[in-house]
Amino acid sequence: MMIEKVYCADVKPKMEGERVRLAGWVYRKREVGKKVFIVLRDSSGIMQTVFTKELSEEAYTKAKQVGIESSVIIEGVVKVDPRAPTGVEIQADKIEIIQNVEFFPITKDASDEFLLDVRHLHLHSPKVADIMKVKGTLMQAAREWLLQDGWYEVFPPILVTGAVEGGSTLFKLKYFDREAYLSQSAQLYLEAAIFGLEKVWSLTPSFRAEKSRTRRHLTEYWHLELEAAWMDLWDIMRVEEELVSYMVQRTLELRKKEIEGFRKDLTTLKNTEPPFPRISYDEAIDILQSKGVKIEWGEDMGADEERVLTEEFDRPFFVYGYPKHIKAFYMKEDPEDPRKVLAADMLAPEGYGEIIGGSQREDDYNKLVQRIIEEGMDPKNYEWYLDLRKYGSVPHSGFGLGLERLVTWVLKLDHIRWATLFPRTPSRIYP
């Protein structure tokens, strides 16, 4: 009778003496004396298997021939052994080679650039798999919280006709007999959806034609965005901190082992509980200047400035009240200071900087038209968006969370490109 396949992680010490069948790939292999050790990996983890002539000469001979990353099915009996990587091993007497790999291109000394060149093979790595597990769990947690809090998921278009974050970073394409663009953000479409659903969210790819070559920029990334009617800036900041806190704490609960493979100190993650600290842009400039950073009021904060600022905090925090001229056209002017907008960014500690950008949206038709003109754009391209301010306009707010930036901070990755399956940067579109 065929033995049902089990995953590596399902094999426990209490199963000693049971016969099991595993399917996966050869992760490590070594020969010691008259034994062949194959460490098998699958999506759940690894398991050491041992082949000897005494158990099966045929299986032993095959095991000696099999190469790293070969796909195999192994059968044997569970035995407890503290020396094994997981405390148990399989005394194997059967191996079926699905495909034998004579030479796997990736070696332990492979450079980062080579790993990116063969990213399709780099995805074999358990380390990469752990990153993707954490990323998926963060989104699982986001969905849980959003469902509990009464938000509706919607599915906005990716092909668009106008800019959200500035025309200079648009990817242009030919759409039949006219021009169109790849979406920079779903925000404008989410704003339209709040008039029927009030609280909406989406997860979509966003595209930015930025030639930035920093450790936190991608030209294509996954964007978790929320928009809500009847919320001001302070309301939406509370939503942000509650959502991010739940995402981080839930992922810590479900993926602690994977996270600890990247960071030993979990303090800042455990500290991610609301309320998060809030400082004004003015206060942020004062802090930076006191630390010797050359920045003046009215200038935008880049990665270097944000890194210095994060040294003051042991958890995510907000910076709010930015100068109007450095922020997007749709942000609402601060009624108490027309030089500023009602905007706030959430920054991650430990030097990682901005992970969320949010604001209260401008709900006044005339002011929004004026801002579009000031930005050098044509109001005709935003007629449908301006209609939202003519037919039942209400105070509303929203934000966008860069999923890869959140993953990069949670796992303390040295570059955002490791946080996505196939990174897209100004210099990389392959594979």
Side-chain angles (χ1 to χ4, degrees), residues 20-39:
V20 296
R21 183 170 182 259
L22 304 172
W25 296 266
V26 176
Y27 179 52
R28 296 283 185 266
K29 177 187 166 184
R30 71 185 193 279
E31 297 182 37
V32 181
K34 296 182 179 180
K35 294 182 178 180
V36 178
F37 293 86
I38 289 178
V39 177

Side-chain angles (χ1 to χ4, degrees), residues 70 83-84 96 195 250 257 325 341 358 388 390 420 425:
S70 297
R83 295 169 298 178
E96 179 184 354
F195 290 84
R250 182 73 167 136
K257 177 175 70 73
H325 67 273
V341 285
L388 303 178
K390 292 165 65 177
T420 191
T425 66

Side-chain angles (χ1 to χ4, degrees), residues 8 11 22 28 30 35-41 45-51 74 77-79 81-92:
C8 291
V11 180
L22 304 172
R28 296 283 185 266
R30 71 185 193 279
K35 294 182 178 180
V36 178
F37 293 86
I38 289 178
V39 177
L40 190 75
R41 69 164 181 85
I46 61 171
M47 177 57 57
Q48 179 168 285
T49 64
V50 187
F51 295 82
I74 294 174
V77 176
V78 178
K79 181 189 177 186
D81 190 331
R83 295 169 298 178
T86 59
V88 290
E89 65 183 19
I90 308 300
Q91 294 186 324

Side-chain angles (χ1 to χ4, degrees), residues 115-125 128-133 135-136 218 220-222 403-404 407 413 416-424 428 430-431:
L115 293 177
L116 292 169
D117 288 341
V118 294
R119 182 64 169 173
H120 53 296
L121 300 179
H122 189 213
L123 297 180
H124 291 215
S125 164
V128 177
D130 283 347
I131 294 173
M132 298 308 150
K133 288 176 185 177
K135 187 176 185 177
L218 293 168
E220 177 186 342
Y221 65 96
W222 285 90
L403 185 57
E404 283 81 9
V407 173
L413 303 179
I416 196 171
R417 62 192 176 189
W418 306 122
T420 191
L421 207 61
F422 286 92
R424 297 292 180 249
R428 187 167 295 280
Y430 176 91

Side-chain angles (χ1 to χ4, degrees), residues 294-349:
K294 294 182 178 180
I295 187 171
E296 299 298 327
W297 195 98
E299 296 178 5
D300 202 0
M301 291 185 290
D304 292 339
E305 291 78 17
E306 288 182 358
R307 184 171 58 253
V308 173
L309 199 58
T310 65
E311 294 170 358
E312 299 292 302
F313 299 90
D314 63 355
R315 67 201 68 204
F317 62 99
F318 289 103
V319 179
Y320 66 89
Y322 285 87
K324 182 167 63 175
H325 67 273
I326 63 173
K327 287 297 184 180
F329 72 92
Y330 52 76
M331 296 184 178
K332 188 172 182 62
E333 185 179 282
D334 186 343
E336 296 181 3
D337 188 346
R339 300 176 305 157
K340 300 178 181 179
V341 285
L342 299 176
D345 292 342
M346 183 189 294
L347 277 62

Side-chain angles (χ1 to χ4, degrees), residues 14 175 341 367:
K14 65 181 181 181
Y175 188 75
V341 285
K367 286 186 177 180

